[in-house]
Amino acid sequence: PDFSLRLDDISVLGNVPFEDDTLFYSENLDITIDLMSVFKGENYVVKEIEVDNPFVQLITLNEGISNWDIIPASESTETIEADSTEAGAYQIMLNSFSINDGRVVYKDDSLPFQLSMDDINTTLAGDFNADQTQMQASLNIGNIASVYDGTSMIEDLSLNTDIGIDANLAENIYDLNIDKLLLNSLHL
């Protein structure tokens, strides 16, 4: 049996001077967990994470202030090291991650540069906890556009790709096998 959790209308807003700007929004976030793995308590098996209609907006002002700098500064200077061998340590095993109809906007006033990506659909599937694994990734972006210093650099570009990934996660070695790569309708 599985346990499913759905969070609706998730949003993260920025700090001053970005308090009226959305850093992240998602219509809903679905997480499916193998219920038996929760009861066993050692390795939680997350079968799927699915994010619907996410919007990410990254902004940097001329002064270098960025809206994603939202974590308050810590007053403590004490460093605490975690012991991964400590009783109660566990792993989260993820099998599949997907984004449906996403949108990303990056705006850097200090350059000045803006990049927008609309209609983002992506999936990543595989055993993310094995030392050696094969994963499959698919990425489709319906529209990519960028503007630099008032000049349009990219307009109405679409990207479609399917990639096989032979991953040695223990040593961080990845071999990409691009099965399909299209820019607009051009096969590369």
Side-chain angles (χ1 to χ4, degrees), residues 94-161:
L94 177 63
N95 294 331
S96 175
F97 175 79
S98 63
I99 294 173
N100 303 312
D101 199 24
R103 180 169 187 244
V104 174
V105 173
Y106 172 72
K107 182 180 178 194
D108 191 330
D109 292 341
S110 68
L111 292 178
F113 176 78
Q114 182 168 333
L115 172 70
S116 64
M117 295 180 283
D118 297 304
D119 194 23
I120 301 170
N121 295 285
T122 188
T123 58
L124 181 61
D127 183 352
F128 294 86
N129 288 321
D131 285 343
Q132 185 75 33
T133 188
Q134 291 188 348
M135 294 184 260
Q136 191 62 38
S138 173
L139 173 63
N140 300 301
I141 303 174
N143 186 25
I144 303 170
S146 73
V147 175
Y148 175 73
D149 201 19
T151 302
S152 177
M153 304 302 284
I154 298 173
E155 192 172 328
D156 297 324
L157 178 69
S158 66
L159 170 73
N160 295 301
T161 186

Side-chain angles (χ1 to χ4, degrees), residues 6 24 55 67 102-103 109 115 131 133 150 164 172 179 184-185:
R6 170 174 269 202
F24 173 82
F55 171 62
N67 72 330
R103 180 169 187 244
D109 292 341
L115 172 70
D131 285 343
T133 188
N172 288 323
D179 299 325
N184 289 340
S185 297

Side-chain angles (χ1 to χ4, degrees), residues 13-176:
L13 301 177
N15 293 329
V16 173
F18 304 102
E19 63 271 9
D20 294 328
D21 294 323
T22 300
L23 173 61
F24 173 82
Y25 171 80
S26 179
E27 188 174 294
N28 49 55
L29 169 70
D30 294 311
I31 302 172
T32 303
I33 300 172
D34 180 309
L35 193 56
M36 294 309 293
S37 73
V38 174
F39 289 130
K40 291 179 185 173
E42 294 173 5
N43 296 321
Y44 297 147
V45 177
V46 178
K47 291 188 172 181
E48 180 178 24
I49 296 175
E50 185 173 354
V51 185
D52 290 322
N53 300 309
F55 171 62
V56 177
Q57 180 174 232
L58 305 171
I59 302 170
T60 299
L61 300 178
N62 280 327
E63 301 82 23
I65 301 168
S66 299
N67 72 330
W68 61 84
D69 187 12
I70 61 172
I71 305 298
S74 174
E75 293 179 16
S76 171
T77 58
E78 181 181 347
T79 302
I80 300 172
E81 293 186 27
D83 182 3
S84 63
T85 61
E86 182 178 304
Y90 61 91
Q91 290 183 336
I92 297 176
M93 302 172 75
L94 177 63
N95 294 331
S96 175
F97 175 79
S98 63
I99 294 173
N100 303 312
D101 199 24
R103 180 169 187 244
V104 174
V105 173
Y106 172 72
K107 182 180 178 194
D108 191 330
D109 292 341
S110 68
L111 292 178
F113 176 78
Q114 182 168 333
L115 172 70
S116 64
M117 295 180 283
D118 297 304
D119 194 23
I120 301 170
N121 295 285
T122 188
T123 58
L124 181 61
D127 183 352
F128 294 86
N129 288 321
D131 285 343
Q132 185 75 33
T133 188
Q134 291 188 348
M135 294 184 260
Q136 191 62 38
S138 173
L139 173 63
N140 300 301
I141 303 174
N143 186 25
I144 303 170
S146 73
V147 175
Y148 175 73
D149 201 19
T151 302
S152 177
M153 304 302 284
I154 298 173
E155 192 172 328
D156 297 324
L157 178 69
S158 66
L159 170 73
N160 295 301
T161 186
D162 290 326
I163 301 172
I165 305 167
D166 292 323
N168 181 332
L169 300 175
E171 298 180 24
N172 288 323
I173 299 172
Y174 305 92
D175 182 19
L176 304 180

